[in-house]
């Protein structure tokens, strides 16, 4: 979510366009304006909601950069507390949803979500982008959305190219990002398919591999 990135942008003193929601949104931190917004068509979102709820999973629904749920469950609380977000409980989402949501997220057991992903990817092929972010989050977005397409938008806006870009990834939803960038980096705890795409693998999150990468780069320029 854009609002979830703001504390980090402020700490880092960054005001460049920021890519959020898997690439569905590119926002201007200075003004809060959405420079790019590619939401899920409501009809497809309702179909996905029904499928996920029928399978027994909690769903997070994002509209206007706010988090909506049917009810406040432990899954909703865990996600919101992880990001420091306010939860808006609105009852059954299928009845409440009247706008195109930016994205949907199914929350649950990682192995069970793997099975759900295997089931729903063929069903929504060409109609939704479906990918894990963290092991316990299965995310649904517009089919034209990915971190790669979001970065392409920023590249066009700021006039740089894929060949000039270094990208770091650690999750299944970073496939398109690493494929787009001229030089792809994975952290050591990333899934095998992400490691296979990388030009360089840095230490895992417990050993602050990306921070070490940035420090090495800055040292090389001093």
């Amino acid at each position: 979510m854009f609002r979830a990135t703001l504390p980090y942008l402020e700490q880092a003193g960054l005001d460049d366009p920021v890519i959020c929601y898997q690439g569905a949104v590119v926002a201007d931190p200075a003004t809060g304006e959405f420079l790019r917004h590619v939401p899920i068509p409501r009809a497809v979102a309702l179909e996905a909601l029904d499928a996920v709820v029928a399978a027994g999973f909690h769903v997070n629904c994002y509209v206007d950069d706010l988090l909506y749920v049917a009810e406040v469950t432990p899954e909703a609380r865990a996600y919101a507390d992880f990001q420091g977000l306010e939860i808006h409980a609105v009852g059954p989402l299928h009845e409440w949803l009247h706008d195109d949501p930016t994205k949907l997220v199914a929350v649950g057991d990682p192995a069970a979500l793997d099975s759900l992903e295997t089931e729903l990817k063929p069903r929504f092929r060409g109609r939704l982008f479906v990918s894990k972010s963290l092991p316990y989050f299965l995310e649904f977005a517009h089919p034209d959305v990915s971190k790669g397409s979001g970065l392409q938008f920023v590249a066009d806006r700021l006039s740089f190219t894929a060949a000039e870009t270094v990208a770091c990834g650690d999750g299944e939803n970073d496939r398109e990002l690493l494929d787009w960038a001229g030089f792809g980096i994975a952290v050591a705890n990333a899934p095998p398919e992400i490691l296979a795409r990388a030009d360089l693998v840095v230490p895992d999150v417990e050993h602050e591999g990306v921070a070490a990468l940035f420090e090495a780069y800055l040292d090389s320029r001093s």
Side-chain angles (χ1 to χ4, degrees), residues 91-212:
L93 290 170
H94 189 111
E95 299 174 13
W96 170 83
L97 185 62
H98 295 287
D99 298 300
D100 295 345
T102 302
K103 76 171 181 179
L104 304 172
V105 178
V107 184
D109 173 75
L113 284 176
D114 287 343
S115 297
L116 183 67
E117 181 178 13
T118 299
E119 175 188 347
L120 294 187
K121 266 189 172 179
R123 175 173 171 178
F124 288 102
R125 183 171 288 115
R127 298 190 294 149
L128 285 174
F129 173 82
V130 182
S131 181
K132 285 278 198 76
S133 51
L134 294 174
Y136 34 85
F137 299 146
L138 180 62
E139 310 215 358
F140 301 83
H142 188 284
D144 294 338
V145 161
S146 72
K147 293 184 181 182
S149 67
L151 191 52
Q152 179 69 67
F153 177 90
V154 173
D156 292 341
R157 187 176 179 88
L158 300 184
S159 299
F160 63 87
T161 67
E164 298 170 297
T165 304
V166 175
C168 302
D170 68 345
E172 179 184 313
N173 60 334
D174 292 316
R175 285 184 304 253
E176 294 81 5
L177 175 67
L178 297 191
D179 288 345
W180 185 87
F183 193 84
I185 296 171
V187 295
N189 57 301
E193 64 175 311
I194 300 303
L195 295 172
R197 283 173 156 79
D199 299 295
L200 174 69
V201 176
V202 297
D204 64 23
V205 63
E206 298 297 332
H207 295 88
E208 301 180 339
V210 175

Side-chain angles (χ1 to χ4, degrees), residues 53-70:
V53 171
F57 292 92
H58 168 87
V59 182
N60 289 342
C61 180
Y62 301 81
V63 178
D64 295 331
D65 205 35
L66 296 173
L67 169 59
Y68 295 94
V69 299

